[in-house]
Amino acid sequence: MTTRNAREPELISIREAARMLNVSTRTVNRLCLEGRVKAVRVGYQWRINRRALREYAGLD
């Protein structure tokens, strides 16, 4: 298990998630809507749990 950098935020935007996965923001939005990654809505925006995204992508 890797340790999280103290400066690294726990929740990230769709744009940051798309960069991590090397996919479009539309794809990440779909993953959030389908519940395939742990995310929460904040107004009109999604915030994605960094650790859950890394696990989904097989990076952890």
Side-chain angles (χ1 to χ4, degrees):
M1 185 172 156
T2 59
T3 57
R4 190 172 69 84
N5 183 339
R7 294 182 194 220
E8 204 171 69
E10 189 67 31
L11 298 176
I12 61 173
S13 68
I14 281 186
R15 183 176 286 170
E16 291 172 288
R19 280 192 213 123
M20 282 178 65
L21 299 178
N22 198 29
V23 298
S24 71
T25 55
R26 188 174 252 182
T27 297
V28 176
N29 189 57
R30 188 170 4 97
L31 293 172
C32 294
L33 287 170
E34 293 171 355
R36 294 171 67 186
V37 295
K38 188 175 180 182
V40 293
R41 281 295 276 224
V42 179
Y44 292 104
Q45 300 177 354
W46 284 103
R47 289 296 180 244
I48 301 152
N49 183 286
R50 181 184 298 274
R51 182 175 293 143
L53 183 67
R54 292 181 59 85
E55 287 174 8
Y56 171 82
L59 300 173
D60 272 347

Short mmCIF file of all heavy atoms in Angstrom, two decimals:
data_model
loop_
_atom_site.label_atom_id
_atom_site.label_comp_id
_atom_site.label_asym_id
_atom_site.label_seq_id
_atom_site.Cartn_x
_atom_site.Cartn_y
_atom_site.Cartn_z
N MET A 1 0.85 -1.18 0.00
CA MET A 1 0.00 0.00 0.00
C MET A 1 0.89 1.24 0.00
O MET A 1 1.85 1.32 0.73
CB MET A 1 -0.90 -0.02 1.23
CG MET A 1 -1.88 1.09 1.25
SD MET A 1 -3.01 0.81 2.63
CE MET A 1 -3.52 2.45 2.88
N THR A 2 0.53 2.19 -0.84
CA THR A 2 1.31 3.42 -0.90
C THR A 2 0.74 4.43 0.08
O THR A 2 -0.45 4.42 0.38
CB THR A 2 1.27 4.03 -2.33
OG1 THR A 2 -0.07 4.28 -2.67
CG2 THR A 2 1.91 3.09 -3.33
N THR A 3 1.59 5.32 0.56
CA THR A 3 1.12 6.36 1.46
C THR A 3 0.79 7.59 0.64
O THR A 3 1.44 7.89 -0.35
CB THR A 3 2.18 6.71 2.52
OG1 THR A 3 3.38 7.10 1.85
CG2 THR A 3 2.45 5.51 3.41
N ARG A 4 -0.22 8.30 1.06
CA ARG A 4 -0.66 9.50 0.36
C ARG A 4 0.18 10.69 0.79
O ARG A 4 0.42 10.90 1.95
CB ARG A 4 -2.14 9.74 0.66
CG ARG A 4 -2.76 10.79 -0.20
CD ARG A 4 -4.26 10.84 0.02
NE ARG A 4 -4.64 11.32 1.32
CZ ARG A 4 -4.75 12.61 1.64
NH1 ARG A 4 -4.48 13.53 0.76
NH2 ARG A 4 -5.12 12.96 2.84
N ASN A 5 0.60 11.47 -0.18
CA ASN A 5 1.33 12.70 0.08
C ASN A 5 0.41 13.64 0.86
O ASN A 5 -0.76 13.79 0.54
CB ASN A 5 1.75 13.32 -1.26
CG ASN A 5 2.57 14.55 -1.10
OD1 ASN A 5 2.56 15.21 -0.07
ND2 ASN A 5 3.30 14.89 -2.14
N ALA A 6 0.93 14.31 1.86
CA ALA A 6 0.13 15.20 2.69
C ALA A 6 -0.49 16.34 1.88
O ALA A 6 -1.55 16.84 2.21
CB ALA A 6 0.98 15.76 3.82
N ARG A 7 0.15 16.74 0.79
CA ARG A 7 -0.36 17.83 -0.04
C ARG A 7 -1.40 17.34 -1.06
O ARG A 7 -2.09 18.14 -1.65
CB ARG A 7 0.77 18.49 -0.82
CG ARG A 7 1.75 19.20 0.03
CD ARG A 7 2.77 19.82 -0.87
NE ARG A 7 3.93 20.25 -0.15
CZ ARG A 7 4.56 21.36 -0.39
NH1 ARG A 7 4.16 22.14 -1.35
NH2 ARG A 7 5.61 21.68 0.31
N GLU A 8 -1.46 16.07 -1.29
CA GLU A 8 -2.35 15.50 -2.29
C GLU A 8 -3.79 15.50 -1.78
O GLU A 8 -4.07 14.88 -0.76
CB GLU A 8 -1.89 14.07 -2.57
CG GLU A 8 -2.28 13.53 -3.90
CD GLU A 8 -1.60 12.21 -4.14
OE1 GLU A 8 -1.95 11.23 -3.45
OE2 GLU A 8 -0.73 12.16 -5.00
N PRO A 9 -4.72 16.19 -2.46
CA PRO A 9 -6.10 16.22 -1.96
C PRO A 9 -6.77 14.86 -2.09
O PRO A 9 -6.46 14.10 -2.99
CB PRO A 9 -6.77 17.25 -2.87
CG PRO A 9 -5.94 17.30 -4.09
CD PRO A 9 -4.55 16.95 -3.67
N GLU A 10 -7.67 14.56 -1.18
CA GLU A 10 -8.39 13.29 -1.18
C GLU A 10 -9.41 13.24 -2.31
O GLU A 10 -9.62 12.21 -2.91
CB GLU A 10 -9.08 13.08 0.17
CG GLU A 10 -9.67 11.72 0.35
CD GLU A 10 -8.65 10.61 0.44
OE1 GLU A 10 -7.54 10.85 0.94
OE2 GLU A 10 -8.96 9.49 0.00
N LEU A 11 -10.06 14.38 -2.59
CA LEU A 11 -11.05 14.45 -3.66
C LEU A 11 -10.49 15.25 -4.82
O LEU A 11 -9.89 16.31 -4.62
CB LEU A 11 -12.34 15.11 -3.15
CG LEU A 11 -13.06 14.39 -2.03
CD1 LEU A 11 -14.26 15.21 -1.57
CD2 LEU A 11 -13.49 13.01 -2.46
N ILE A 12 -10.70 14.75 -6.03
CA ILE A 12 -10.17 15.42 -7.22
C ILE A 12 -11.29 15.69 -8.21
O ILE A 12 -12.37 15.10 -8.13
CB ILE A 12 -9.05 14.59 -7.88
CG1 ILE A 12 -9.57 13.23 -8.32
CG2 ILE A 12 -7.86 14.46 -6.94
CD1 ILE A 12 -8.57 12.42 -9.12
N SER A 13 -11.03 16.57 -9.15
CA SER A 13 -12.02 16.92 -10.17
C SER A 13 -12.03 15.89 -11.29
O SER A 13 -11.13 15.05 -11.40
CB SER A 13 -11.69 18.29 -10.76
OG SER A 13 -10.49 18.20 -11.53
N ILE A 14 -13.03 15.98 -12.13
CA ILE A 14 -13.12 15.09 -13.29
C ILE A 14 -11.91 15.30 -14.20
O ILE A 14 -11.36 14.34 -14.74
CB ILE A 14 -14.45 15.33 -14.05
CG1 ILE A 14 -15.57 14.63 -13.32
CG2 ILE A 14 -14.36 14.86 -15.49
CD1 ILE A 14 -16.89 14.64 -14.02
N ARG A 15 -11.49 16.54 -14.36
CA ARG A 15 -10.35 16.82 -15.23
C ARG A 15 -9.08 16.14 -14.71
O ARG A 15 -8.33 15.53 -15.49
CB ARG A 15 -10.12 18.33 -15.33
CG ARG A 15 -8.98 18.69 -16.27
CD ARG A 15 -8.83 20.16 -16.42
NE ARG A 15 -9.93 20.61 -17.27
CZ ARG A 15 -10.24 21.87 -17.48
NH1 ARG A 15 -9.55 22.82 -16.90
NH2 ARG A 15 -11.24 22.20 -18.26
N GLU A 16 -8.84 16.22 -13.40
CA GLU A 16 -7.67 15.56 -12.82
C GLU A 16 -7.77 14.04 -12.96
O GLU A 16 -6.78 13.38 -13.27
CB GLU A 16 -7.54 15.93 -11.35
CG GLU A 16 -7.17 17.37 -11.11
CD GLU A 16 -7.26 17.74 -9.65
OE1 GLU A 16 -8.39 17.84 -9.13
OE2 GLU A 16 -6.19 17.91 -9.03
N ALA A 17 -8.97 13.51 -12.75
CA ALA A 17 -9.18 12.06 -12.88
C ALA A 17 -8.93 11.61 -14.32
O ALA A 17 -8.31 10.57 -14.55
CB ALA A 17 -10.58 11.70 -12.44
N ALA A 18 -9.40 12.40 -15.27
CA ALA A 18 -9.20 12.06 -16.69
C ALA A 18 -7.71 12.04 -17.03
O ALA A 18 -7.25 11.15 -17.76
CB ALA A 18 -9.93 13.07 -17.57
N ARG A 19 -6.95 12.97 -16.49
CA ARG A 19 -5.50 12.97 -16.72
C ARG A 19 -4.85 11.73 -16.13
O ARG A 19 -3.97 11.13 -16.74
CB ARG A 19 -4.87 14.22 -16.12
CG ARG A 19 -5.03 15.43 -16.98
CD ARG A 19 -4.14 16.56 -16.50
NE ARG A 19 -4.83 17.81 -16.77
CZ ARG A 19 -5.15 18.71 -15.86
NH1 ARG A 19 -4.81 18.55 -14.60
NH2 ARG A 19 -5.78 19.81 -16.20
N MET A 20 -5.28 11.35 -14.92
CA MET A 20 -4.71 10.16 -14.26
C MET A 20 -4.97 8.89 -15.07
O MET A 20 -4.10 8.03 -15.18
CB MET A 20 -5.31 9.97 -12.87
CG MET A 20 -4.75 10.88 -11.81
SD MET A 20 -5.54 10.62 -10.21
CE MET A 20 -5.04 8.96 -9.83
N LEU A 21 -6.17 8.80 -15.65
CA LEU A 21 -6.56 7.59 -16.39
C LEU A 21 -6.23 7.66 -17.87
O LEU A 21 -6.39 6.67 -18.59
CB LEU A 21 -8.07 7.34 -16.23
CG LEU A 21 -8.58 7.11 -14.82
CD1 LEU A 21 -10.09 6.93 -14.84
CD2 LEU A 21 -7.91 5.92 -14.18
N ASN A 22 -5.83 8.84 -18.33
CA ASN A 22 -5.54 9.07 -19.74
C ASN A 22 -6.79 8.79 -20.60
O ASN A 22 -6.72 8.07 -21.61
CB ASN A 22 -4.35 8.24 -20.21
CG ASN A 22 -3.77 8.77 -21.49
OD1 ASN A 22 -3.85 9.96 -21.78
ND2 ASN A 22 -3.19 7.88 -22.28
N VAL A 23 -7.93 9.34 -20.15
CA VAL A 23 -9.20 9.23 -20.87
C VAL A 23 -9.84 10.61 -20.92
O VAL A 23 -9.35 11.55 -20.31
CB VAL A 23 -10.16 8.22 -20.20
CG1 VAL A 23 -9.58 6.81 -20.19
CG2 VAL A 23 -10.52 8.65 -18.78
N SER A 24 -10.96 10.71 -21.61
CA SER A 24 -11.65 12.00 -21.70
C SER A 24 -12.44 12.29 -20.42
O SER A 24 -12.76 11.37 -19.65
CB SER A 24 -12.61 12.00 -22.89
OG SER A 24 -13.72 11.17 -22.63
N THR A 25 -12.76 13.55 -20.24
CA THR A 25 -13.58 13.94 -19.08
C THR A 25 -14.98 13.33 -19.20
O THR A 25 -15.60 13.01 -18.19
CB THR A 25 -13.68 15.47 -18.95
OG1 THR A 25 -14.17 16.02 -20.17
CG2 THR A 25 -12.33 16.07 -18.61
N ARG A 26 -15.44 13.15 -20.41
CA ARG A 26 -16.75 12.54 -20.64
C ARG A 26 -16.78 11.09 -20.12
O ARG A 26 -17.76 10.65 -19.53
CB ARG A 26 -17.06 12.57 -22.13
CG ARG A 26 -18.45 12.16 -22.47
CD ARG A 26 -18.69 12.37 -23.93
NE ARG A 26 -19.59 13.49 -24.06
CZ ARG A 26 -20.04 13.94 -25.20
NH1 ARG A 26 -19.67 13.40 -26.33
NH2 ARG A 26 -20.87 14.95 -25.22
N THR A 27 -15.68 10.37 -20.32
CA THR A 27 -15.58 9.00 -19.83
C THR A 27 -15.63 8.97 -18.31
O THR A 27 -16.34 8.16 -17.71
CB THR A 27 -14.28 8.33 -20.34
OG1 THR A 27 -14.33 8.28 -21.76
CG2 THR A 27 -14.11 6.94 -19.78
N VAL A 28 -14.91 9.88 -17.66
CA VAL A 28 -14.90 9.93 -16.20
C VAL A 28 -16.29 10.30 -15.69
O VAL A 28 -16.77 9.73 -14.71
CB VAL A 28 -13.83 10.90 -15.67
CG1 VAL A 28 -13.90 11.01 -14.17
CG2 VAL A 28 -12.44 10.48 -16.13
N ASN A 29 -16.95 11.22 -16.36
CA ASN A 29 -18.31 11.60 -15.97
C ASN A 29 -19.23 10.38 -16.02
O ASN A 29 -20.03 10.15 -15.11
CB ASN A 29 -18.84 12.70 -16.89
CG ASN A 29 -20.15 13.27 -16.40
OD1 ASN A 29 -20.23 13.75 -15.28
ND2 ASN A 29 -21.16 13.21 -17.24
N ARG A 30 -19.11 9.57 -17.06
CA ARG A 30 -19.92 8.36 -17.19
C ARG A 30 -19.62 7.38 -16.06
O ARG A 30 -20.53 6.77 -15.50
CB ARG A 30 -19.67 7.71 -18.55
CG ARG A 30 -20.62 6.57 -18.83
CD ARG A 30 -20.57 6.03 -20.26
NE ARG A 30 -19.58 6.60 -21.15
CZ ARG A 30 -18.39 6.06 -21.40
NH1 ARG A 30 -18.03 4.94 -20.83
NH2 ARG A 30 -17.55 6.64 -22.23
N LEU A 31 -18.34 7.22 -15.71
CA LEU A 31 -17.97 6.33 -14.61
C LEU A 31 -18.62 6.78 -13.31
O LEU A 31 -19.08 5.96 -12.51
CB LEU A 31 -16.45 6.29 -14.44
CG LEU A 31 -15.65 5.63 -15.57
CD1 LEU A 31 -14.16 5.84 -15.33
CD2 LEU A 31 -15.98 4.16 -15.68
N CYS A 32 -18.68 8.08 -13.10
CA CYS A 32 -19.32 8.63 -11.89
C CYS A 32 -20.83 8.37 -11.92
O CYS A 32 -21.39 7.92 -10.92
CB CYS A 32 -19.06 10.13 -11.79
SG CYS A 32 -17.34 10.56 -11.51
N LEU A 33 -21.46 8.65 -13.05
CA LEU A 33 -22.91 8.46 -13.16
C LEU A 33 -23.29 6.99 -12.97
O LEU A 33 -24.34 6.69 -12.39
CB LEU A 33 -23.40 8.94 -14.53
CG LEU A 33 -23.43 10.45 -14.73
CD1 LEU A 33 -23.70 10.78 -16.19
CD2 LEU A 33 -24.49 11.07 -13.84
N GLU A 34 -22.47 6.08 -13.46
CA GLU A 34 -22.75 4.65 -13.34
C GLU A 34 -22.38 4.09 -11.98
O GLU A 34 -22.67 2.94 -11.69
CB GLU A 34 -21.99 3.89 -14.43
CG GLU A 34 -22.48 4.19 -15.83
CD GLU A 34 -21.60 3.60 -16.92
OE1 GLU A 34 -20.54 3.03 -16.60
OE2 GLU A 34 -21.98 3.72 -18.09
N GLY A 35 -21.70 4.90 -11.15
CA GLY A 35 -21.30 4.44 -9.82
C GLY A 35 -20.11 3.50 -9.83
O GLY A 35 -19.88 2.77 -8.88
N ARG A 36 -19.34 3.52 -10.91
CA ARG A 36 -18.19 2.62 -11.01
C ARG A 36 -16.98 3.13 -10.24
O ARG A 36 -16.09 2.36 -9.92
CB ARG A 36 -17.84 2.41 -12.48
CG ARG A 36 -18.98 1.65 -13.18
CD ARG A 36 -18.82 1.58 -14.66
NE ARG A 36 -17.68 0.76 -15.02
CZ ARG A 36 -17.26 0.62 -16.27
NH1 ARG A 36 -17.88 1.23 -17.25
NH2 ARG A 36 -16.22 -0.12 -16.53
N VAL A 37 -16.96 4.44 -9.94
CA VAL A 37 -15.94 5.01 -9.06
C VAL A 37 -16.65 5.79 -7.97
O VAL A 37 -17.74 6.33 -8.19
CB VAL A 37 -14.93 5.93 -9.80
CG1 VAL A 37 -14.10 5.15 -10.78
CG2 VAL A 37 -15.62 7.09 -10.47
N LYS A 38 -16.05 5.84 -6.80
CA LYS A 38 -16.64 6.54 -5.67
C LYS A 38 -16.50 8.05 -5.88
O LYS A 38 -15.38 8.57 -5.96
CB LYS A 38 -15.95 6.12 -4.38
CG LYS A 38 -16.60 6.63 -3.14
CD LYS A 38 -15.93 6.06 -1.91
CE LYS A 38 -16.57 6.58 -0.66
NZ LYS A 38 -15.88 6.07 0.52
N ALA A 39 -17.64 8.73 -6.00
CA ALA A 39 -17.64 10.16 -6.27
C ALA A 39 -18.87 10.80 -5.63
O ALA A 39 -19.85 10.13 -5.35
CB ALA A 39 -17.64 10.41 -7.77
N VAL A 40 -18.78 12.11 -5.41
CA VAL A 40 -19.90 12.87 -4.87
C VAL A 40 -20.15 14.09 -5.74
O VAL A 40 -19.24 14.63 -6.35
CB VAL A 40 -19.65 13.33 -3.41
CG1 VAL A 40 -19.59 12.15 -2.47
CG2 VAL A 40 -18.39 14.16 -3.30
N ARG A 41 -21.41 14.50 -5.80
CA ARG A 41 -21.76 15.72 -6.52
C ARG A 41 -21.62 16.91 -5.58
O ARG A 41 -22.09 16.87 -4.45
CB ARG A 41 -23.22 15.68 -6.97
CG ARG A 41 -23.59 14.88 -8.18
CD ARG A 41 -22.99 15.40 -9.42
NE ARG A 41 -23.69 16.47 -10.08
CZ ARG A 41 -23.88 16.50 -11.38
NH1 ARG A 41 -23.51 15.50 -12.13
NH2 ARG A 41 -24.43 17.52 -11.93
N VAL A 42 -20.99 17.95 -6.06
CA VAL A 42 -20.90 19.22 -5.34
C VAL A 42 -21.46 20.26 -6.31
O VAL A 42 -20.77 20.69 -7.23
CB VAL A 42 -19.45 19.56 -4.93
CG1 VAL A 42 -19.40 20.89 -4.22
CG2 VAL A 42 -18.85 18.45 -4.10
N GLY A 43 -22.71 20.60 -6.12
CA GLY A 43 -23.38 21.47 -7.09
C GLY A 43 -23.51 20.73 -8.41
O GLY A 43 -24.07 19.64 -8.47
N TYR A 44 -22.95 21.30 -9.47
CA TYR A 44 -22.98 20.67 -10.78
C TYR A 44 -21.70 19.90 -11.10
O TYR A 44 -21.55 19.40 -12.20
CB TYR A 44 -23.20 21.73 -11.87
CG TYR A 44 -24.58 22.35 -11.81
CD1 TYR A 44 -24.77 23.62 -11.29
CD2 TYR A 44 -25.68 21.63 -12.24
CE1 TYR A 44 -26.03 24.17 -11.24
CE2 TYR A 44 -26.95 22.18 -12.18
CZ TYR A 44 -27.12 23.46 -11.68
OH TYR A 44 -28.37 23.99 -11.62
N GLN A 45 -20.80 19.84 -10.15
CA GLN A 45 -19.51 19.20 -10.38
C GLN A 45 -19.39 17.90 -9.60
O GLN A 45 -19.97 17.74 -8.55
CB GLN A 45 -18.38 20.14 -9.97
CG GLN A 45 -18.37 21.43 -10.71
CD GLN A 45 -17.28 22.35 -10.20
OE1 GLN A 45 -16.60 22.06 -9.23
NE2 GLN A 45 -17.11 23.48 -10.86
N TRP A 46 -18.58 16.98 -10.14
CA TRP A 46 -18.24 15.74 -9.45
C TRP A 46 -16.92 15.92 -8.74
O TRP A 46 -16.01 16.58 -9.26
CB TRP A 46 -18.10 14.59 -10.44
CG TRP A 46 -19.38 14.05 -10.97
CD1 TRP A 46 -19.90 14.29 -12.20
CD2 TRP A 46 -20.29 13.17 -10.30
NE1 TRP A 46 -21.09 13.61 -12.33
CE2 TRP A 46 -21.34 12.91 -11.18
CE3 TRP A 46 -20.29 12.58 -9.04
CZ2 TRP A 46 -22.40 12.09 -10.84
CZ3 TRP A 46 -21.35 11.76 -8.71
CH2 TRP A 46 -22.39 11.52 -9.60
N ARG A 47 -16.78 15.31 -7.58
CA ARG A 47 -15.51 15.19 -6.89
C ARG A 47 -15.29 13.69 -6.67
O ARG A 47 -16.17 13.00 -6.15
CB ARG A 47 -15.51 15.93 -5.55
CG ARG A 47 -15.51 17.43 -5.72
CD ARG A 47 -14.24 17.91 -6.40
NE ARG A 47 -14.23 19.35 -6.58
CZ ARG A 47 -14.23 19.94 -7.75
NH1 ARG A 47 -14.27 19.23 -8.85
NH2 ARG A 47 -14.21 21.25 -7.83
N ILE A 48 -14.14 13.23 -7.07
CA ILE A 48 -13.84 11.80 -7.10
C ILE A 48 -12.81 11.47 -6.04
O ILE A 48 -11.81 12.17 -5.89
CB ILE A 48 -13.34 11.41 -8.50
CG1 ILE A 48 -14.41 11.76 -9.53
CG2 ILE A 48 -12.97 9.94 -8.56
CD1 ILE A 48 -13.88 12.07 -10.88
N ASN A 49 -13.05 10.39 -5.33
CA ASN A 49 -12.12 9.92 -4.32
C ASN A 49 -10.86 9.39 -5.02
O ASN A 49 -10.94 8.46 -5.83
CB ASN A 49 -12.78 8.83 -3.48
CG ASN A 49 -11.90 8.34 -2.38
OD1 ASN A 49 -10.95 7.61 -2.62
ND2 ASN A 49 -12.22 8.73 -1.17
N ARG A 50 -9.72 10.02 -4.73
CA ARG A 50 -8.47 9.66 -5.39
C ARG A 50 -8.10 8.19 -5.19
O ARG A 50 -7.74 7.50 -6.12
CB ARG A 50 -7.33 10.55 -4.89
CG ARG A 50 -5.99 10.27 -5.55
CD ARG A 50 -4.88 11.10 -4.97
NE ARG A 50 -5.09 12.51 -5.14
CZ ARG A 50 -4.73 13.19 -6.22
NH1 ARG A 50 -4.15 12.58 -7.22
NH2 ARG A 50 -4.95 14.48 -6.30
N ARG A 51 -8.21 7.72 -3.96
CA ARG A 51 -7.84 6.33 -3.66
C ARG A 51 -8.73 5.35 -4.41
O ARG A 51 -8.25 4.37 -4.99
CB ARG A 51 -7.90 6.07 -2.16
CG ARG A 51 -7.48 4.64 -1.81
CD ARG A 51 -7.44 4.42 -0.33
NE ARG A 51 -6.36 5.22 0.25
CZ ARG A 51 -6.42 5.82 1.42
NH1 ARG A 51 -7.49 5.73 2.17
NH2 ARG A 51 -5.40 6.52 1.87
N ALA A 52 -10.04 5.61 -4.43
CA ALA A 52 -10.98 4.73 -5.13
C ALA A 52 -10.70 4.73 -6.64
O ALA A 52 -10.78 3.68 -7.28
CB ALA A 52 -12.42 5.18 -4.87
N LEU A 53 -10.33 5.87 -7.18
CA LEU A 53 -10.00 5.95 -8.60
C LEU A 53 -8.74 5.14 -8.90
O LEU A 53 -8.70 4.40 -9.88
CB LEU A 53 -9.80 7.40 -9.03
CG LEU A 53 -9.53 7.61 -10.51
CD1 LEU A 53 -10.75 7.25 -11.33
CD2 LEU A 53 -9.10 9.04 -10.77
N ARG A 54 -7.74 5.25 -8.05
CA ARG A 54 -6.50 4.48 -8.23
C ARG A 54 -6.78 2.98 -8.15
O ARG A 54 -6.22 2.20 -8.91
CB ARG A 54 -5.43 4.91 -7.24
CG ARG A 54 -4.91 6.32 -7.50
CD ARG A 54 -3.83 6.73 -6.52
NE ARG A 54 -2.69 5.83 -6.57
CZ ARG A 54 -1.67 5.92 -7.43
NH1 ARG A 54 -1.67 6.89 -8.31
NH2 ARG A 54 -0.68 5.07 -7.39
N GLU A 55 -7.65 2.58 -7.23
CA GLU A 55 -8.00 1.16 -7.11
C GLU A 55 -8.76 0.70 -8.35
O GLU A 55 -8.51 -0.38 -8.86
CB GLU A 55 -8.84 0.92 -5.85
CG GLU A 55 -8.02 1.00 -4.58
CD GLU A 55 -8.88 0.91 -3.33
OE1 GLU A 55 -10.10 0.64 -3.43
OE2 GLU A 55 -8.33 1.13 -2.24
N TYR A 56 -9.69 1.52 -8.84
CA TYR A 56 -10.44 1.18 -10.04
C TYR A 56 -9.50 0.97 -11.23
O TYR A 56 -9.66 0.04 -12.01
CB TYR A 56 -11.44 2.30 -10.36
CG TYR A 56 -12.10 2.12 -11.70
CD1 TYR A 56 -13.19 1.27 -11.85
CD2 TYR A 56 -11.62 2.80 -12.82
CE1 TYR A 56 -13.79 1.10 -13.09
CE2 TYR A 56 -12.22 2.63 -14.06
CZ TYR A 56 -13.29 1.78 -14.19
OH TYR A 56 -13.88 1.60 -15.42
N ALA A 57 -8.49 1.83 -11.32
CA ALA A 57 -7.55 1.77 -12.45
C ALA A 57 -6.46 0.71 -12.25
O ALA A 57 -5.66 0.48 -13.15
CB ALA A 57 -6.91 3.13 -12.65
N GLY A 58 -6.42 0.10 -11.07
CA GLY A 58 -5.40 -0.90 -10.80
C GLY A 58 -4.04 -0.29 -10.51
O GLY A 58 -3.01 -0.93 -10.68
N LEU A 59 -4.03 0.96 -10.03
CA LEU A 59 -2.78 1.64 -9.75
C LEU A 59 -2.32 1.43 -8.30
O LEU A 59 -1.20 1.77 -7.96
CB LEU A 59 -2.91 3.15 -10.03
CG LEU A 59 -3.26 3.50 -11.47
CD1 LEU A 59 -3.54 5.00 -11.60
CD2 LEU A 59 -2.14 3.08 -12.40
N ASP A 60 -3.17 0.90 -7.45
CA ASP A 60 -2.81 0.63 -6.05
C ASP A 60 -2.82 -0.85 -5.79
O ASP A 60 -3.47 -1.63 -6.35
CB ASP A 60 -3.79 1.30 -5.08
CG ASP A 60 -3.36 2.73 -4.75
OD1 ASP A 60 -2.23 3.11 -5.06
OD2 ASP A 60 -4.20 3.45 -4.21
#
